[in-house]
Amino acid sequence: MVIYACYGNITAVRGWSLDCDSEIMPPDMSECLTIIYAWAIGAKSFEFPEHVGLPLGGEDGPTFLMIEMHYDNPAFSPDFHDNSGLRIYYTPTLREYSADIWMVGQNVDLMHLIPPNESAFKTYGFCFGECTKAGMDEDVYVFAAMLHGHLAARQINLQQYRGDELIDELKDDNYDFNLQETRILATENTFKPGDSYVVTCTYNTVGRDEVTRGGDGTVQEMCLVFVYYYPKKTKIDYCTSTPSLASYWEFFNIPYVEGIEDYSVYTYSHVVNSDPETLRIGLQNVTDRAKRYNYCFGSTDLNLNEDHFELNFPEWFDPEKTMVAPDVCSVDDDDDNDPIGRGNTLMAGCYGVITTIALCLLFV
């Protein structure tokens, strides 16, 4: 379940509910681009720290929310009924800082490819310093994060680089799709303009006979981290990357053909029809060496960093470098009643209550 903030007078869509990818979505829904909260299976409620809150209403906050529900119903059974939703608790007492959220990691698209029958295949999603330099004017402070992959994910690691120096790390070496949680960091981390994030995901596809691709479906994959920070003063909402098509063409010897309607589909078809050894070696080369498309998006600017859209695989990144001992589990055993982390109410506001909620559905 993903909650998007909507701005402006768009109450005409009150109560609208349909497929989120539908071409008949009301045009006003295009104003709902900013993620303010994400919930996934296994999570409990989330409570913001006492000095931080999400603005609701007022001059700086949204006046409308859109809820995107992800359903897993592969058999299209008609007799399932759902009453999921979000209960928001707000305070009339203004918090000291307004929070915001970034989505960082591997862009969710067709070219996030993982070979079959691999026990520990890694992919890397970059939030490049070129993006954070373009979208930030001052330091921010990271206080929580949610690591997110799907059924094949076994480990997820978020690393922060300043130049070529690894300065911070958050990892889960025992990732469980059925036990996801937004976690308050023990110590808030300073993130400066020009710093980079790397999200490393390790997948187990043993028993799968076909390539696993990126996508919204449960049997497809993601490699993302939702990063909570304050103050809310950056232009960035999404900071992700994906291997360039030209790199796939190079490593798989795919010929360039003029006039192809969709080069992603063209490239994907060539890759997945490779023989097993070519597929394994080629995807390993893409992971370890491919240039990346740099997706640096904000809610008001389509691409904050279009002058640096295709970037080389970063020389400063060392996949073997770590700050945390191997096989660290993020489970907190101090509280038997809340073994994952903190929070039993969602206190997500400073200024006032949301006026109304729209719902769209995403079937996977």
Side-chain angles (χ1 to χ4, degrees):
M1 180 163 52
V2 182
I3 314 301
Y4 294 87
C6 310
Y7 296 89
N9 183 19
I10 61 172
T11 55
V13 299
R14 179 195 300 267
W16 184 88
S17 178
L18 206 65
D19 186 344
C20 291
D21 293 329
S22 171
E23 294 181 358
I24 63 171
M25 285 182 69
D28 282 347
M29 289 295 193
S30 64
E31 302 298 323
C32 308
L33 298 175
T34 303
I35 295 175
I36 61 170
Y37 186 68
W39 180 93
I41 185 171
K44 297 183 179 179
S45 52
F46 179 71
E47 182 178 351
F48 280 77
E50 293 184 356
H51 61 299
V52 181
L54 282 175
L56 303 177
E59 294 182 0
D60 299 325
T63 55
F64 204 92
L65 294 182
M66 181 179 77
I67 303 177
E68 179 184 281
M69 305 287 291
H70 291 210
Y71 292 109
D72 184 16
N73 183 14
F76 294 98
S77 299
D79 55 347
F80 287 140
H81 300 277
D82 179 50
N83 64 351
S84 299
L86 187 72
R87 181 174 290 115
I88 299 175
Y89 295 87
Y90 72 98
T91 171
T93 304
L94 184 66
R95 296 286 175 90
E96 184 177 2
Y97 298 105
S98 293
D100 207 352
I101 185 172
W102 289 332
M103 188 179 81
V104 303
Q106 161 70 42
N107 197 58
V108 182
D109 58 38
L110 185 63
M111 303 317 298
H112 180 204
L113 300 178
I114 305 158
N117 290 305
E118 293 285 335
S119 61
F121 189 85
K122 289 181 168 59
T123 66
Y124 310 117
F126 299 96
C127 172
F128 287 102
E130 285 84 351
C131 176
T132 64
K133 188 180 297 182
M136 296 174 61
D137 296 320
E138 61 181 79
D139 297 354
V140 298
Y141 303 93
V142 176
F143 65 90
M146 174 186 170
L147 313 179
H148 182 62
H150 288 174
L151 293 176
R154 295 295 182 269
Q155 300 175 335
I156 302 180
N157 185 11
L158 174 68
Q159 294 181 316
Q160 180 183 347
Y161 278 80
R162 185 163 298 152
D164 59 0
E165 181 183 359
L166 175 60
I167 64 169
D168 208 358
E169 185 169 28
L170 172 67
K171 67 189 304 185
D172 188 345
D173 284 339
N174 300 276
Y175 178 80
D176 187 340
F177 174 77
N178 293 302
L179 199 62
Q180 302 183 57
E181 190 81 13
T182 300
R183 296 157 186 195
I184 298 287
L185 306 187
T187 302
E188 293 180 353
N189 302 330
T190 302
F191 194 96
K192 294 179 175 292
D195 285 2
S196 302
Y197 272 135
V198 183
V199 183
T200 301
C201 292
T202 305
Y203 300 100
N204 185 333
T205 58
V206 173
R208 297 190 180 189
D209 297 325
E210 299 179 353
V211 169
T212 299
R213 52 153 290 193
D216 295 316
T218 305
V219 295
Q220 297 167 346
E221 271 305 331
M222 292 187 181
C223 181
L224 296 170
V225 177
F226 296 93
V227 176
Y228 290 79
Y229 71 93
Y230 71 87
K232 182 184 178 181
K233 290 188 177 180
T234 79
K235 303 173 186 176
I236 305 167
D237 289 324
Y238 306 91
C239 185
T240 61
S241 72
T242 201
S244 73
L245 293 178
S247 294
Y248 274 104
W249 299 344
E250 175 187 353
F251 294 127
F252 283 88
N253 295 315
I254 299 173
Y256 175 76
V257 179
E258 290 278 358
I260 297 294
E261 182 177 353
D262 189 328
Y263 281 100
S264 291
V265 173
Y266 167 75
T267 305
Y268 174 82
S269 178
H270 274 77
V271 171
V272 299
N273 287 300
S274 302
D275 66 82
E277 188 64 11
T278 299
L279 180 66
R280 185 185 65 81
I281 294 174
L283 289 182
Q284 191 66 65
N285 283 330
V286 167
T287 291
D288 294 340
R289 299 163 52 193
K291 292 183 177 182
R292 262 38 179 204
Y293 292 147
N294 169 30
Y295 294 111
C296 182
F297 294 153
S299 58
T300 56
D301 296 285
L302 181 61
N303 192 336
L304 299 171
N305 204 208
E306 58 186 354
D307 293 337
H308 297 90
F309 180 62
E310 187 175 14
L311 299 174
N312 290 326
F313 190 90
E315 295 181 358
W316 44 261
F317 174 57
D318 180 356
E320 302 302 321
K321 188 179 292 186
T322 184
M323 298 179 67
V324 182
D327 199 30
V328 171
C329 183
S330 298
V331 171
D332 179 3
D333 293 326
D334 293 336
D335 185 350
D336 292 336
N337 296 318
D338 190 8
I340 292 271
R342 131 168 208 216
N344 55 14
T345 58
L346 178 62
M347 298 191 63
C350 293
Y351 302 123
V353 67
I354 284 292
T355 58
T356 188
I357 294 177
L359 174 67
C360 70
L361 313 176
L362 187 60
F363 294 96
V364 296

